[in-house]
Amino acid sequence: MTEAAHLPMREVVRRAGALPGVRPRRFVPLLLPMWAVDVVATVREAHPYDVFDRYLSRAVAEAGLTRPAELAAFFGVEPALVIRTARFLERIGHLRRDGDELTLTELGHQSIKDGRRYLLTRGRRITLRFDGRGGEPVPYAHATHAVWLSEPVLELPDGTVFAPVGPARPLPSNAVELLLDRPDVADFTGPAVPVEVAAAEPRPVWLPVYAVECEDGPLVFGWAVDGPDPYLLDVYRRHAGQSEAD
Amino acid sequence: MASTLVDLEQSPYRNEGFCAVLELAVAAARELGPGGDRARPPRDAGLDERVQREAILRLRSGATANPGLLPLLAEGRFAAFGADVPASLGEVGRALAVPDVFCLVATPGTARTRTVCEIVRSAAERGERVLLTAPTPPLVDAVIAALPDGATVIRTDQTGSGPGSIDAASAAVQQRILSRSQAAARALEPWLGDPSPATGWLRRLDTALTEAAEAQERAGRAAAHREATARAARDRLGAPLAALERELATAERAAAATAREVELLTAALRRAETSRLRRWRTGRPRTMLSDAVRRAAAARSALSRTRSAYEEGARDTRTAIENDSVVRAAAERAAFADLAARRALESAERSAHQLTRMLDGVLGRPDWTADHAGLTGFADRCRTLEPTLRGRAGLLREWRQRAARPSRQLHAELLRYADVIATSCLGAGRPEHADLEFDLVVVEDASRVPVPAALVPLVRARRAVLVGETGRPPLRDLESVRAWVSARCPAGTDAAELTALLTGSVFDRVAARAPEPNRAGLDHLPPVPERPGD
């Protein structure tokens, strides 16, 4: 496990040394305390529209056309095409049929607004990760391109030992709800955006990083970014501030 | 190649032995060479094998459009059917009525082709999506050639843009869209743009209605002023007439009083004359009556003179009022204001006519009345409709621009929504068919299709019609298959089942187990009546 957990120290030394104007003084391998919450979610995934499903949805939303016969006449297509497309959109939850009347659901309206055909998938297991200091969600790139340790122990084959930076602060009980309410939620969850979740208890995890003390201030290196990572630097500073305060 | 996502952990994991033998049959077929469909053109053997394995995977995991397909093939378990089916229902009706699989036993020929056509046509007319497959393309061609126009039929194994190909179907749909939506696009054109011509006329209507309302108010004020001026003039010029009016009233009262006196005296005289005691005393009343009659005649004469004088005075007063300069000016102003109000309303009416022409052909000719209330109601209705019609016009323009340029983007939807998709059995497993499902699959010449190959279309349809003949020779040489099975069949595998799958067709397997309602022999039934136009 330890072999692929992080870059070897010499690689980080090389990378930091290659940065113009940076004079490293000390390399400190650290384990940042974070939180992971495993949830079973209904996720919303975006797909590109085909041609007719998009125009049919738009006609219902924007042009006040709601009956298959008038939609077929408007588009100049066979009624069967409208009926089958409507059935498809109904099956994926974009349309609702009331007798001969078609109406867009909220998901259908949202899809038209964003120009993406959203599909809801239930029962998806995903892990949401949060900063152990402020309870802020971890960006998707960092959540997916980092090695997360379930124990605060890491020693690389070159002998580098990572030390934990204190314990995490308790995760706010509404951290998941706050994340789902964010307009930029996809930045933290990736393309499969959870819209409903059944959350479990958060569990502590540790993120290995190299804090590099330089003459002009610290830099932090992680897995997700090749060079110095501004997000991890921000997290590191919050933790460092906490440690000093403690 | 696209694959279908299936979850083996979630499925009812039944008939595993049969599925394992199916997989083995696919592997054996690779070594033994092609079976029944030797006549088909050479294809990618690896692709063929993959699509068959994928179909077996779907069967095994229960991810088939017909959830009862696996027990049907493995155990011969058909869905309950037949109790409520009229005995008079022909083979076409039964083929459409069975809940799972129907076998039509018929020798190749025109009657069989016509029956298959009728099944496909009837299903498509019911709004069902039909997958038509056969081991070789000519069999599909024969059925498609006999299908009537109207249904959207796509040959997915047809390359290029030849008749029936997806390219040709796409081009035809685009052409139809452009021609059919042309009239609507023209009708909606006035509602296009910001501001659109229709919006311009609506603004004119609103402006004209506002002006008409203001003019109407001015006309009302002018009329009131005219009346007030006339009243003042009457007061000013009407003193002599008032005196005459009083004289007339006096004369009327005098005439009425004398007339009453005559009446009373006449009655008294009549009573006296009819009385025997007073008959001799009638002289005096008679004299009084005579005097009263004279006075009444004089009073009537005076009344007549006074009335004439009053009427003449009234005429003179009216003329004087009409000729009064102040009254005339007020009347002229009122007339002008009224004219202006009428003209403003006419202007609104012209705008309403323009909007009516623009609405005609889009929503039908609207009704309105040419008064202020009617025009205001019409303007309100146009204002309500304008955003919708603007949306329609813009959407239709985009749609027509989209339809005007050649595109492969329509292909996926055409495949998903076409009435009939025709392809070879293995062609039904092409990547673009991955998520397609059908209401009915018709496998023509199923007696030449091995079970693994037939699975490729069968897993994609809720119901199936297998068409074939019985008594055909085995698909492969029986001895070679037995030799392969005895040499290569893994221990624990049902060797008899494997041999049957390698030598028998899907038709042999299903028809032999099908209950009576699920099969029909065309050769023993009266031919399908010819439809008009055939």
Side-chain angles (χ1 to χ4, degrees), chain A residues 56-242:
Chain A
L56 183 67
S57 301
R58 284 186 59 192
V60 175
E62 300 166 12
L65 297 165
T66 56
R67 294 174 189 278
E70 63 186 11
L71 284 160
F74 179 75
F75 286 119
V77 298
E78 305 297 335
L81 179 60
V82 173
I83 290 167
R84 285 173 187 154
T85 311
R87 210 180 291 155
F88 168 72
L89 289 169
E90 198 181 348
R91 201 166 58 238
I92 62 172
H94 284 217
L95 273 184
R96 197 177 299 116
R97 183 189 290 265
D98 182 11
D100 202 24
E101 289 274 325
L102 302 172
T103 47
L104 272 190
T105 60
E106 195 184 332
L107 184 67
H109 275 295
Q110 189 64 39
S111 297
I112 282 296
K113 183 168 160 275
D114 297 346
R116 311 279 290 162
R117 194 174 67 200
Y118 290 128
L119 294 184
L120 293 182
T121 309
R122 295 176 206 291
R124 182 74 65 83
R125 292 175 188 281
I126 54 178
T127 301
L128 304 171
R129 298 181 194 278
F130 297 87
D131 166 18
R133 165 74 181 165
E136 290 293 313
V138 177
Y140 184 64
H142 290 83
T144 50
H145 297 124
V147 173
W148 297 87
L149 305 175
S150 54
E151 297 294 334
V153 180
L154 177 63
E155 181 175 352
L156 297 185
D158 62 1
T160 307
V161 176
F162 288 76
V165 186
R169 277 193 172 183
L171 185 68
S173 57
N174 62 345
V176 174
E177 285 75 23
L178 289 176
L179 168 61
L180 298 195
D181 287 342
R182 290 179 68 133
D184 57 350
V185 59
D187 293 347
F188 304 96
T189 61
V193 176
V195 289
E196 278 178 23
V197 298
E201 283 298 306
R203 55 184 169 84
V205 288
W206 281 266
L207 180 64
V209 298
Y210 286 99
V212 182
E213 289 179 11
C214 306
E215 287 185 357
D216 296 335
L219 297 175
V220 178
F221 287 77
W223 255 135
V225 179
D226 279 346
D229 189 325
Y231 167 72
L232 289 181
L233 176 62
D234 192 37
V235 174
Y236 166 74
R237 279 188 164 141
R238 283 205 294 268
H239 281 288
Q242 179 193 9

